[in-house]
Amino acid sequence: MASLPPGASAHAAPPASKPNLRERFNAMRNLPPFLKQIWQTSPGLTLASVGLRAIRALLPIVALYIGKLIIDEAIRVVALGLPQTGLGNAWRSGALDHLAWLLVLEFALAIVSDLLGRLVSYADALLSELFTNVTSIRLMEHAATLDLEDFEDPDLQDKLDRARRQTMGRMNLMSMLFGQAQDAITVIGFAAGLLIYAPWLIALLAVALIPAFVGEAHFNALGYSLNFQWTPERRQLEYMRQTGASVETAKEVKIFNLHRFLISRYRTLAEKFFLANRALARRRALWGALLAALGTMGYYVAYGYIAWRTVRGDFTIGDLTFLAGSFLRLRQLLEGLLIGFSQVAGQALYLDDLFSFFEIEPEIVSPQHPVAIPKPIAQGFVFENVGFRYPDAERWAVRHLDFELKAGEVLALVGENGAGKTTLVKLLARLYDPDEGRILLDGRDLRDYDLDELRANIGVIFQDFVRYHLTAGENIGVGRIEAMEDEVRIRDAARRSMADEVIAALPHGYDQLIGRRFKNGVDLSGGQWQKIAIARAYMRDAQVMILDEPTAALDARSEFEVFQRFKELSDNRTAVLISHRFSSVRMADRILVLNEGRLEASGTHEQLLAQGGRYAELFELQASGYR
């Protein structure tokens, strides 16, 4: 199971209940690494976004002050009696020059502000797209390093699902942070103007806005808690949506009329989630309106005070306009800053989901100083008292396994479902490490070898192989990704697995897109897909070849032909075959019989039949079905 580094436990387990104030402030520690990631994504775009916002932050203050000057100048012109002389005379006299320049300047500021806003949106859109791409790639790269059993852990699947959503949804946090910085600069400018006239108004405004900030912080925390607690149900909703409307499930959904069941299950879950969200939204709207009213009341108290000072003659009409406008904008900006800070803290909680996923470390890793894989393998593999139990499982999947897989030997594994055959193969490929005992390769523990090099020398095709919605050639090429462009190798692998006949019948041959997910794709039968998958094993040209029931969709004759060719083409490679058909496994050099995770018998087909026991019993049951 993957583990966390020391000191990372707080990241690893975000609170399922409503986060308290300390947890919300602790989540702010996610902002520096988040901003660092943004900077690393594109320093140029980051500087452009921040710089343009800084310039744009000062424009509202300048525009409002110019508006004050325009009003004062207009009042001065009216006092001179110029309007009675007509516009032409007033213009020719030059008395309107100052007013005209002020109007032109305000118009220019409006144009510049709009242009800067569009440039900011352009920079943010590009930066957002790049950040999403970079973070998604990092997510896939990190997921590739995790242990197989992590992906079988529902808790980690929830964490991965939340992390995946955060790669798409966190760039609004960047806009919020940069917007907060822009608003802070504007607030400082407006506050400086108000301090000259009436300093106590700023204190009044701050006190009036604090309740709205506290309320917003409270409901942001509740929103995060709701989303966190509903992660499993959201995954179920997505599963129901995909199952009810996908090409992979369409046949059974129609045959069994499953759509009503799936829709009913989806509707039930969705309704519960909707009701929970609605209840929270109602409470948020009610309390938000009440608390915001306090800020509005504070504004009108200040507005009345400014109006009274103007009537008394302390302020000009332009001053009244500037101060009232400044106070209104300051109130809006401060309210936005306080609520925005609360929202940023809430968004930072979601970053925990992303960063905690990145902090998970795999346990199955290469040693610091790995031993080189023997080429060729001289002795083979030895299982010494090997035992393995899946996480949280009471029953051992395999235990007390002692046997040898000799170099160049073709070994078959037989046993009923759940006997431990696939688990044994996963241990051999070091997808898991034993909980007891050890596995040796040429006398050295598998854990002494480089993990990537070990797996590069093992070709495995599982029964539940992946059907890639790629071209036929690419479906084979994924078996050895560095040889994806090697057409000769791909064609040779197809010939060995008998997939060449399948591909020859496709409209575009090796360039034909297979699968029905995308346009122009051609679907294959189960047996045809399996031949394509088996070709991947031949692509690797590995020293150890493993076929874990990949021929289940083939008829008995086709499976026998595949296994016969596999044995002939193994070229003295070490090989492991798993099949329920005894006509196929009998060609192996040796057969291991597994039962409930333990090795029950070993020998050739003839030896096992002579011994009687489980193998002979299963063989007789299968043979009787063909009589």
Side-chain angles (χ1 to χ4, degrees):
M1 179 74 179
S3 59
L4 291 174
S9 58
H11 279 293
S17 58
K18 183 177 79 69
N20 58 39
L21 188 60
R22 173 181 292 183
E23 288 166 338
R24 277 177 269 164
F25 274 98
N26 284 343
M28 300 292 281
R29 73 193 181 285
N30 293 318
L31 296 182
F34 174 66
L35 291 172
K36 182 180 178 181
Q37 283 188 5
I38 293 173
W39 172 261
Q40 291 172 341
T41 297
S42 176
L45 286 173
T46 305
L47 281 176
S49 181
V50 173
L52 291 171
R53 276 187 166 91
I55 297 172
R56 195 166 182 243
L58 300 174
L59 296 185
I61 306 166
V62 177
L64 194 59
Y65 188 75
I66 291 174
K68 161 200 153 33
L69 296 178
I70 289 172
I71 291 173
D72 285 344
E73 181 65 14
I75 292 174
R76 186 188 70 81
V77 170
V78 170
L80 294 174
L82 289 178
Q84 283 72 27
T85 65
L87 178 62
N89 292 331
W91 182 264
R92 284 189 290 273
S93 71
L96 297 179
D97 288 355
H98 187 55
L99 181 61
W101 278 112
L102 288 173
L103 289 169
V104 169
L105 183 57
E106 187 173 55
F107 172 73
L109 280 175
I111 296 296
V112 170
S113 179
D114 180 68
L115 177 61
L116 289 177
R118 295 180 185 278
L119 289 174
V120 166
S121 297
Y122 175 71
D124 282 1
L126 294 181
L127 190 56
S128 175
E129 189 71 23
L130 285 175
F131 179 83
T132 298
N133 292 341
V134 169
T135 309
S136 296
I137 290 170
R138 185 184 172 197
L139 182 80
M140 290 188 287
E141 288 176 338
H142 186 69
T145 69
L146 299 184
D147 300 333
L148 177 62
E149 66 184 64
D150 291 324
F151 291 94
E152 297 169 346
D153 178 4
D155 289 336
L156 189 128
Q157 288 182 37
D158 289 344
K159 187 184 291 291
L160 175 59
D161 184 66
R162 289 193 298 270
R164 192 184 295 114
R165 289 203 305 271
Q166 302 323 312
T167 63
M168 303 295 294
R170 288 308 102 211
M171 283 313 291
N172 63 328
L173 176 58
M174 181 206 75
S175 299
M176 287 172 61
L177 285 171
F178 290 175
Q180 290 275 91
Q182 175 182 328
D183 290 346
I185 296 172
T186 309
V187 163
I188 292 171
F190 279 129
L194 285 177
L195 281 171
I196 298 172
Y197 293 97
W200 69 272
L201 292 179
I202 297 177
L204 170 66
L205 188 59
V207 170
L209 292 177
I210 286 175
F213 164 69
V214 173
E216 190 67 21
H218 172 74
F219 285 107
N220 278 334
L222 286 179
Y224 170 77
S225 178
L226 179 66
N227 279 305
F228 185 92
Q229 291 171 341
W230 274 78
T231 300
E233 287 79 4
R234 288 167 72 108
R235 285 204 301 118
Q236 288 183 42
L237 284 170
E238 184 60 29
Y239 174 73
M240 292 296 167
R241 182 162 43 234
Q242 290 181 351
T243 304
S246 71
V247 64
E248 290 84 1
T249 60
K251 293 190 293 292
E252 286 207 8
V253 168
K254 287 182 175 297
I255 291 295
F256 297 132
N257 282 324
L258 291 179
H259 65 282
R260 294 184 181 87
F261 167 76
L262 295 171
I263 291 171
S264 175
R265 178 69 61 85
Y266 182 90
R267 183 180 285 117
T268 300
L269 285 171
E271 181 72 13
K272 289 181 180 178
F273 193 37
F274 168 75
L275 292 175
N277 269 315
R278 187 180 68 178
L280 179 61
R282 283 177 174 173
R283 291 169 57 197
R284 187 171 199 156
L286 175 62
W287 283 101
L290 292 174
L291 296 174
L294 294 176
T296 303
M297 184 175 67
Y299 163 71
Y300 278 101
V301 169
Y303 190 40
Y305 172 77
I306 295 169
W308 167 245
R309 291 284 300 273
T310 303
V311 170
R312 253 183 17 172
D314 296 336
F315 300 146
T316 66
I317 300 298
D319 290 336
L320 170 65
T321 305
F322 175 72
L323 289 173
S326 294
F327 197 84
L328 177 61
R329 288 298 306 276
L330 192 59
R331 177 227 168 183
Q332 293 170 339
L333 288 169
L334 277 175
E335 184 175 3
L337 278 174
L338 290 174
I339 293 176
F341 175 79
S342 170
Q343 291 174 340
V344 164
Q347 295 291 326
L349 285 168
Y350 288 96
L351 285 175
D352 260 350
D353 298 326
L354 184 62
F355 291 146
S356 65
F357 178 77
F358 286 137
E359 287 178 344
I360 299 173
E361 295 179 352
E363 291 184 351
I364 299 178
V365 294
S366 299
Q368 206 165 21
H369 303 290
V371 178
I373 294 289
K375 294 183 179 180
I377 295 174
Q379 302 169 26
F381 297 83
V382 176
F383 280 62
E384 292 184 348
N385 194 35
V386 169
F388 175 77
R389 181 166 53 189
Y390 289 96
D392 301 323
E394 296 182 2
R395 191 176 71 87
W396 288 83
V398 294
R399 201 171 194 194
H400 302 310
L401 289 183
D402 286 288
F403 69 90
E404 183 178 358
L405 171 58
K406 298 175 183 178
E409 181 182 31
V410 177
L411 183 71
L413 303 177
V414 299
E416 299 177 74
N417 291 333
K421 303 185 297 297
T422 297
T423 300
L424 189 152
V425 167
K426 291 176 180 177
L427 291 169
L428 190 64
R430 214 183 160 213
L431 295 173
Y432 300 111
D433 277 338
D435 294 320
E436 293 180 347
R438 60 178 184 163
I439 304 172
L440 306 179
L441 170 58
D442 277 10
R444 298 295 298 262
D445 195 308
L446 282 188
R447 286 170 278 215
D448 294 338
Y449 296 103
D450 178 79
L451 193 58
D452 290 337
E453 190 182 2
L454 172 67
R455 291 175 181 168
N457 279 274
I458 299 177
V460 187
I461 296 298
F462 292 104
Q463 181 179 6
D464 55 346
F465 59 85
V466 179
R467 304 183 182 198
Y468 298 99
H469 294 271
L470 304 170
T471 67
E474 289 169 337
N475 258 280
I476 297 173
V478 295
R480 190 175 182 88
I481 199 68
E482 60 270 23
M484 178 72 85
E485 304 301 323
D486 190 339
E487 187 175 336
V488 173
R489 188 174 191 142
I490 290 173
R491 289 177 181 271
D492 182 62
R495 179 185 58 80
R496 293 183 173 206
S497 70
M498 298 188 294
D500 55 341
E501 300 171 359
V502 175
I503 297 173
L506 296 176
H508 301 291
Y510 287 87
D511 296 324
Q512 175 64 54
L513 189 69
I514 53 179
R516 287 292 188 184
R517 183 178 294 269
F518 303 114
K519 188 178 180 181
N520 300 325
V522 174
D523 204 9
L524 304 179
S525 68
Q528 290 173 323
W529 268 111
Q530 286 178 314
K531 289 180 179 180
I532 295 284
I534 293 169
R536 294 173 198 158
Y538 288 116
M539 270 296 293
R540 294 189 78 83
D541 196 24
Q543 294 196 73
V544 181
M545 302 286 282
I546 302 173
L547 297 185
D548 181 8
E549 298 189 60
T551 57
L554 298 176
D555 58 55
R557 181 185 296 276
S558 297
E559 182 186 272
F560 181 81
E561 291 175 354
V562 168
F563 277 166
Q564 184 67 37
R565 177 170 292 198
F566 176 76
K567 191 174 189 303
E568 292 171 356
L569 296 174
S570 290
D571 299 328
N572 296 319
R573 289 184 178 87
T574 306
V576 178
L577 306 177
I578 299 178
S579 175
H580 284 291
R581 293 196 178 108
F582 289 85
S583 58
S584 298
V585 301
R586 65 188 302 173
M587 70 180 65
D589 299 324
R590 191 157 50 97
I591 302 169
L592 300 186
V593 182
L594 296 176
N595 181 42
E596 296 185 353
R598 297 174 185 266
L599 181 59
E600 194 171 81
S602 173
T604 65
H605 173 72
E606 290 75 15
Q607 289 170 343
L608 292 172
L609 281 182
Q611 292 174 14
R614 187 176 303 275
Y615 182 86
E617 177 187 350
L618 293 174
F619 178 80
E620 182 58 33
L621 282 173
Q622 191 171 109
S624 65
Y626 290 95
R627 292 179 184 140

